[in-house]
Amino acid sequence: MEQKKKVRLSDIAKKLNISTVTVSKALANKDGVGDDLRKQIKDLASEMGYKAKNNSSFSNGKITGNIGILIPSHFFGINTSFYWYIFNFLSTELLHRNYYSIMELLSAQDEENLVLPRMLQDKKVDGIIILGQVKEDYIDKIRLQYNNFILLDFYTDNTSLDSVSNDDYYSSYILTSYVISQGHKNIRFVGNFNATTSITDRFMGFQKAMLRNGLPSSVEDIINDRDDKGFQVEFKLPPKEEMPTAFVCNNDLTASNLIDKLQTLGYRIPEDISVTGFDNYVAQSNQSVPLTTVAIKPEDTANVAADLIIKKITNQPYIKGRHLVSGTIIIRDSVKNINN
């Protein structure tokens, strides 16, 4: 006998030409749906044989209309507010889809002790977005008891996990190739290779461009901007006689801090040394030198992440695995052409 196809929220929504969120709210008796439409949705759901899915030990089948955004606290320092910038776009995209955002900072202690987020323990959310690199054993702890989550701005070796990240490898390759085209051959990468998957991919893109142009590149030549846990450290720059003509930095904040450091040492940017960033995050009005960088629109990333998590929690079909968001090189004044 042919097995009956499972009815999804999206199937009900399609029949009535309404959104999946509206169907979800109606079946959960939440506000925002008229009585007549609510009755119509429930009657159709019953007729189609829809059965609510209890996805985790935390949900109890209850729909909250909230999406949790979990951010490791060390990414949220006074000088590292990039994730606050991303959170704003993400919460806006979710609100457009009739979901509210609940942000929770993950302390280093809770991550180390594998303490689950309070918003999961208190059943406050329908799903969570983990924004910023966390330890794999912490993700495994969540995964054992909870399915409705995605990773944002990083990924793991577990291909079954859903994630959204920038196309860091290719973007860094193109950016470094541009620096090389401007005559630079002695170039150093700035960023901790082990800190995040984003930095790893950006270094690998940098390395590919160097090797394809016959230029030396080694992990040992990396200049760290942070430790393995993501906390900022002082730059250990090479002596003057070994100083490169260009630095390719893993992000704009690092590039901005490096420019300040180099200028303090008496170097002119870009006359003496060229510097690039990544993310197009730091406001150019605050920069002494307009920064050449890679721009990845945060609204694009937020749109993909919001779409993915909502499809996942409402049981709609979606492409599983890793989702990449492309970037564009923004050429400004921080790279000097030293050809000839």
Side-chain angles (χ1 to χ4, degrees):
M1 178 182 292
E2 185 178 349
Q3 188 175 5
K4 189 174 180 180
K5 183 180 178 182
K6 187 174 182 180
V7 179
R8 298 186 176 92
L9 291 177
S10 57
D11 298 327
I12 302 170
K14 187 176 180 180
K15 286 271 190 182
L16 296 174
N17 196 27
I18 57 178
S19 72
T20 304
V21 173
T22 301
V23 175
S24 176
K25 285 186 174 183
L27 296 178
N29 295 315
K30 290 179 65 68
D31 294 336
V33 183
D35 292 340
D36 290 342
L37 179 57
R38 187 188 306 277
K39 183 178 185 305
Q40 188 180 3
I41 292 170
K42 287 187 173 183
D43 288 347
L44 181 59
S46 177
E47 178 186 325
M48 295 176 67
Y50 173 76
K51 293 183 180 179
K53 179 182 179 183
N54 184 359
N55 187 263
S56 78
S57 59
F58 291 98
S59 68
N60 291 332
K62 179 182 177 183
I63 298 175
T64 67
N66 300 323
I67 302 293
I69 302 175
L70 183 68
I71 308 175
S73 57
H74 64 83
F75 285 122
F76 224 74
I78 190 169
N79 293 321
T80 55
S81 57
F82 176 71
Y83 286 104
W84 175 252
Y85 178 65
I86 294 296
F87 171 79
N88 284 329
F89 283 95
L90 191 54
S91 59
T92 299
E93 286 292 337
L94 289 169
L95 192 58
H96 287 163
R97 293 163 169 80
N98 297 315
Y99 279 88
Y100 293 99
S101 304
I102 296 179
M103 181 175 69
E104 181 175 332
L105 297 183
L106 174 64
S107 70
Q109 183 178 6
D110 281 354
E111 183 178 2
E112 183 66 29
N113 294 329
L114 305 182
V115 178
L116 289 169
R118 272 61 176 181
M119 56 188 167
L120 290 187
Q121 297 183 42
D122 297 338
K123 306 176 179 65
K124 297 293 187 182
V125 295
D126 301 326
I128 62 172
I129 298 171
I130 303 176
L131 174 55
Q133 188 102 26
V134 301
K135 295 167 58 176
E136 290 200 32
D137 56 350
Y138 188 82
I139 296 173
D140 289 338
K141 173 72 172 181
I142 293 177
R143 186 170 59 87
L144 286 173
Q145 302 181 60
Y146 192 77
N147 297 321
N148 287 339
F149 71 92
I150 66 170
L151 313 178
L152 180 55
D153 200 41
F154 76 107
Y155 60 94
T156 74
D157 292 337
N158 187 340
T159 57
S160 68
L161 297 180
D162 299 312
S163 65
V164 178
S165 55
N166 302 328
D167 194 353
D168 297 303
Y169 174 80
Y170 180 73
S171 298
S172 184
Y173 167 71
I174 295 298
L175 178 63
T176 307
S177 296
Y178 167 72
V179 175
I180 294 171
S181 75
Q182 300 305 293
H184 297 274
K185 296 182 178 180
N186 185 2
I187 311 170
R188 299 284 289 272
F189 183 84
V190 185
N192 188 324
F193 182 85
N194 296 313
T196 69
T197 55
S198 294
I199 298 177
T200 302
D201 287 350
R202 291 173 191 183
F203 172 73
M204 297 306 292
F206 165 85
Q207 190 173 50
K208 176 181 177 180
M210 295 290 283
L211 295 175
R212 288 205 65 176
N213 286 276
L215 303 175
S217 174
S218 170
V219 175
E220 285 72 29
D221 292 332
I222 291 177
I223 295 173
N224 285 337
D225 65 336
R226 67 193 76 192
D227 59 25
D228 289 351
K229 294 183 178 180
F231 294 100
Q232 300 293 310
V233 298
E234 275 290 319
F235 300 113
K236 293 184 179 180
L237 298 176
K240 186 174 182 179
E241 61 273 13
E242 298 176 14
M243 191 69 74
T245 63
F247 290 98
V248 172
C249 299
N250 77 92
N251 64 49
D252 288 350
L253 182 61
T254 291
S256 178
N257 291 338
L258 179 61
I259 288 174
D260 290 343
K261 175 76 171 180
L262 291 170
Q263 289 176 333
T264 299
L265 294 173
Y267 292 100
R268 298 169 301 162
I269 312 299
E271 291 83 0
D272 300 323
I273 297 176
S274 296
V275 178
T276 68
F278 205 106
D279 291 325
N280 198 37
Y281 160 63
V282 176
Q284 296 304 309
S285 58
N286 298 333
Q287 298 299 296
S288 57
V289 182
L291 191 61
T292 294
T293 187
V294 171
I296 297 180
K297 293 181 180 178
E299 55 267 39
D300 291 348
T301 303
N303 183 33
V304 174
D307 188 59
L308 181 61
I309 188 63
I310 290 174
K311 283 184 176 178
K312 188 165 186 173
I313 66 178
T314 56
N315 303 317
Q316 298 181 64
Y318 70 93
I319 299 174
K320 301 182 185 298
R322 188 178 174 204
H323 298 247
L324 291 178
V325 180
S326 299
T328 304
I329 294 181
I330 305 296
I331 298 174
R332 298 194 180 101
D333 299 335
S334 64
V335 176
K336 180 183 178 181
N337 188 327
I338 61 172
N339 285 306
N340 302 322

